[in-house]
Amino acid sequence: MKNAIIIGAGPAGLTAAYYMLKETDIHPIIIEKEDYVGGIARTVEYKGNRMDIGGHRFFSKNREITDLWEELMPLQGKPAMDDKMLKRECQLKQEGPDPEKDDKVMLNRHRISRIMYMKRFFDYPISLGINTIMNLGVVRLTVVVASYIKALFIKRPENNLENFMINRFGKRLYNMFFKDYTHKVWGRYPKEIDADWGSQRIKGISLCKVISHLCAQIVHMRSGSVETSLIDRFYYPKYGPGQLWDTMKEEIEKNGGEIYFNNEVKEISRQSDKVTYIKTKNGSKTKVWEADYILSSMPIKELIKDINDDTIQQDVKEVADGLIYRDFITVGLLVDRLKIKNTTRIRTLGNNIPDCWIYVQEPDVEIGRLQIFNNWSPYLLKDPINKVWLGLEYFCHENDEKWSMSDEDFIKFAVGELEQIGVISKDDVEDSVCVHVPKAYPAYFGRYKEFQIVKSYLDSIDNLYCIGRNGQHRYNNMDHSMLTAIEAVRAINDPKYSKSNIWNVNTEKEYHEN
């Protein structure tokens, strides 16, 4: 029997192993550097409260992916605890499990996200709707509309992210909602970032859609209905994203796949046009893994460093070494209450604000996003009725000033920022935790423009397949990472498929968010 070594037990690596067992007779062996599955899509538990690192909505336009999620965790057939208590409308699947009684259940949740700017809430994604108009005022709105109309007729060359955004939103909206926030997230201004990032993550607005959306909002306001512009839906495992990956891990092992933790790749040996073996280290022990196929979701910068190949050209090494990543810190805060008030018509436990997360675009604080875990799933909390469980998200570079701060000092800093913008009082903080996530986001600057040099070299290795976000150095969503794994398995199993299918995932201008 042939075997495949899969580097990384994140969404891509696990999906690759799952599909190998499902569609081939190849034996999958996953080697994982950490002691958990899920990568950055894991769930971190702290004293009975669970944190979703980065926030992972289970949403996809690909039916195969949504079917796979439901195959692993069936959709709820009864209301969740908060929906039941608040008598909120919820979408249920006939004969689905009851989340109050069953653990292995996928919830169907409201997606509510907003932008905090000028101490006010704006719709996310940003739109020229009633809420935006009221917050901006007549003068600002007039300038925004004029700027947008100008952008419709005078197009800039899309040679960077700044021009990409201005072409779609106008310069004034760009300056208000994109320029400084992008700098906060990436540490670079949009004019320093390749436009490819925008083509994957951002969809523009059209004047016709703006007008029709505005008319619809006016109708809803007159009828007194709920603010539908804030609401969408997504699937979500009862205990957070890590629950699904734990479930997939169990299925892989039950069907004969193997997963080995705490094994860090140290050497990848290439001979001729193939990888012949991988060497890993676990503590003081080293192990050699021979394989017919290699599927890698490890960061490409590290992958190239680990390849033992006398023929590798210097420019491949230099470009790979020049790839940049953005790292990530989450602070979990358990608080008794929020100072900020719920001014929407959406009912919540404790009448807290209804957002799953808030994009904090206030220029005087460094926090990027704020998650309210109560709204993702009440089951993430030990006491969802009397406590609020928050996730404060910061973007940084590994070993910079923020990354190097002690957990105690960083938590104190984060609490101060949230108090500064009026969300909490520090006296209401009951407990806290700090989690560091390296290489969370592959960046579209540095040597990225020359990435094709690295990609061509990797494709020249016949039995190596690059999958996942870091495995392709592409800002994929979770479902896209899974699709790269599925395409890799099919490229191995079926001559009609090719490696180009793997790289083409998430390049077809199908958007995650409208």
Side-chain angles (χ1 to χ4, degrees):
M1 177 186 291
K2 292 185 176 181
N3 73 316
I5 298 296
I6 300 168
I7 304 173
L14 290 170
T15 302
Y18 188 82
Y19 265 76
M20 273 186 182
L21 292 165
K22 189 177 180 180
E23 297 188 353
T24 79
D25 58 0
I26 300 167
H27 178 63
I29 301 170
I30 298 176
I31 52 177
E32 168 57 49
K33 180 180 177 181
E34 306 294 346
D35 60 358
Y36 52 79
V37 298
I40 66 167
R42 71 190 189 275
T43 302
V44 174
E45 185 172 355
Y46 178 72
K47 296 183 181 179
N49 295 302
R50 295 174 171 88
M51 268 201 310
D52 179 349
I53 303 298
H56 291 85
R57 289 190 293 122
F58 284 71
F59 169 89
S60 181
K61 294 182 178 181
N62 185 281
R63 184 69 192 180
E64 183 171 11
I65 295 296
T66 56
D67 286 347
L68 173 57
W69 289 336
E70 191 173 345
E71 179 182 316
L72 293 166
M73 298 188 69
L75 297 178
Q76 68 181 93
K78 301 288 183 183
M81 181 262 279
D82 52 353
D83 288 328
K84 184 186 291 186
M85 289 182 64
L86 297 164
K87 296 181 170 55
R88 291 190 306 207
E89 180 184 352
C90 52
Q91 295 182 9
L92 306 174
K93 179 135 186 190
Q94 191 172 3
E95 299 182 2
D98 182 351
E100 287 287 85
K101 298 176 182 177
D102 302 296
D103 283 342
K104 195 172 287 188
V105 53
M106 187 77 81
L107 306 179
N108 193 320
R109 303 296 289 176
H110 287 299
R111 193 296 307 266
I112 305 168
S113 302
R114 289 180 292 175
I115 296 167
M116 178 182 276
Y117 177 66
M118 302 189 305
K119 303 296 189 292
R120 300 170 184 171
F121 282 118
F122 291 78
D123 294 350
Y124 175 84
I126 191 65
S127 65
L128 294 179
I130 290 290
N131 185 53
T132 304
I133 290 169
M134 292 176 66
N135 281 334
L136 288 177
V138 175
V139 175
R140 282 197 193 95
L141 177 66
T142 302
V143 175
V144 163
V145 171
S147 174
Y148 172 64
I149 292 172
K150 179 181 177 181
L152 289 177
F153 296 100
I154 302 175
K155 294 297 182 184
R156 297 178 174 222
E158 294 193 352
N159 51 9
N160 59 53
L161 186 57
E162 176 176 286
N163 288 351
F164 179 94
M165 289 173 167
I166 291 173
N167 282 347
R168 282 153 183 78
F169 298 96
K171 189 169 184 179
R172 187 52 64 104
L173 268 182
Y174 160 76
N175 283 331
M176 290 171 64
F177 290 105
F178 296 99
K179 182 180 179 180
D180 290 332
Y181 184 73
T182 302
H183 183 263
K184 186 185 288 189
V185 173
W186 292 104
R188 301 283 182 101
Y189 285 106
K191 66 182 178 183
E192 303 172 83
I193 300 175
D194 197 277
D196 279 5
W197 187 91
S199 68
Q200 288 186 48
R201 305 294 297 192
I202 298 168
K203 186 174 183 177
I205 52 179
S206 73
L207 197 57
C208 290
K209 286 183 179 178
V210 167
I211 294 170
S212 63
H213 180 64
L214 183 57
C215 292
Q217 285 193 318
I218 292 170
V219 170
H220 283 301
M221 286 181 68
R222 287 178 176 173
S223 66
S225 62
V226 173
E227 295 146 279
T228 54
S229 65
L230 298 180
I231 295 176
D232 201 349
R233 303 201 74 91
F234 63 96
Y235 294 155
Y236 197 72
K238 178 178 177 177
Y239 294 123
Q243 186 185 12
L244 183 125
W245 308 120
D246 287 335
T247 301
M248 186 178 276
K249 169 188 175 289
E250 292 168 6
E251 290 297 313
I252 290 167
E253 292 178 325
K254 186 170 74 176
N255 288 286
E258 300 176 63
I259 303 177
Y260 295 89
F261 296 104
N262 301 307
N263 275 274
E264 183 177 4
V265 173
K266 289 298 182 182
E267 182 186 346
I268 299 170
S269 178
R270 177 183 183 176
Q271 292 183 15
S272 185
D273 58 356
K274 291 182 184 258
V275 171
T276 54
Y277 68 82
I278 290 176
K279 186 180 289 185
T280 62
K281 189 172 183 181
N282 182 346
S284 60
K285 297 179 181 178
T286 59
K287 182 174 174 62
V288 173
W289 312 78
E290 294 183 356
D292 298 287
Y293 307 101
I294 308 293
L295 290 84
S296 173
S297 65
M298 69 186 291
I300 282 183
K301 185 173 189 171
E302 296 176 3
L303 175 69
I304 293 295
K305 281 181 180 177
D306 289 337
I307 293 177
N308 184 357
D309 177 9
D310 294 336
T311 68
I312 189 170
Q313 295 181 345
Q314 188 62 27
D315 60 347
V316 174
K317 292 181 180 180
E318 290 174 357
V319 173
D321 193 53
L323 295 176
I324 295 172
Y325 301 81
R326 196 67 164 150
D327 307 295
F328 187 77
I329 303 173
T330 291
V331 173
L333 291 184
L334 188 67
V335 300
D336 295 325
R337 64 186 65 83
L338 300 178
K339 282 181 65 177
I340 199 164
K341 302 300 181 186
N342 180 16
T343 58
T344 74
R345 298 188 186 95
I346 301 169
R347 299 189 302 277
T348 62
L349 294 177
N351 198 31
N352 293 308
I353 53 176
D355 308 75
C356 296
W357 65 39
I358 295 166
Y359 294 84
V360 183
Q361 302 206 14
E362 304 293 0
D364 53 343
V365 292
E366 293 186 49
I367 180 175
R369 294 184 306 202
L370 173 66
Q371 290 196 71
I372 297 94
F373 293 119
N374 306 53
N375 299 327
W376 287 88
S377 166
Y379 305 104
L380 294 178
L381 283 80
K382 191 158 61 172
D383 183 5
I385 297 174
N386 300 303
K387 303 294 178 184
V388 186
W389 181 224
L390 303 173
L392 290 68
E393 302 181 351
Y394 287 84
F395 308 95
C396 56
H397 288 301
E398 198 170 353
N399 301 319
D400 70 8
E401 184 181 358
K402 288 198 288 288
W403 186 271
S404 302
M405 289 172 70
S406 70
D407 287 356
E408 182 181 356
D409 287 343
F410 195 85
I411 289 168
K412 185 178 179 181
F413 161 73
V415 169
E417 288 212 321
L418 218 54
E419 190 171 45
Q420 180 180 334
I421 57 176
V423 176
I424 64 167
S425 168
K426 65 180 180 182
D427 296 332
D428 291 325
V429 178
E430 182 177 307
D431 207 348
S432 58
V433 66
C434 189
V435 178
H436 289 65
V437 183
K439 293 182 173 60
Y441 305 110
Y444 286 61
F445 41 87
R447 299 292 294 270
Y448 173 77
K449 284 188 176 180
E450 301 165 87
F451 181 71
Q452 184 62 39
I453 294 171
V454 178
K455 178 177 173 291
S456 296
Y457 169 77
L458 293 170
D459 280 347
S460 73
I461 305 174
D462 283 353
N463 63 341
L464 175 65
Y465 300 82
C466 294
I467 59 175
R469 176 182 282 191
N470 279 333
Q472 294 195 329
H473 201 84
R474 180 178 293 157
Y475 196 168
N476 287 326
N477 290 310
M478 187 166 53
D479 60 325
H480 293 135
S481 291
M482 296 173 71
L483 282 168
T484 63
I486 294 170
E487 291 293 344
V489 171
R490 289 175 180 164
I492 290 169
N493 197 43
D494 189 336
K496 295 197 297 287
Y497 283 79
S498 71
K499 286 186 179 181
S500 63
N501 292 354
I502 310 168
W503 292 103
N504 287 339
V505 170
N506 195 21
T507 60
E508 72 290 346
K509 305 297 185 289
E510 278 291 315
Y511 295 87
H512 182 71
E513 190 110 52
N514 286 327

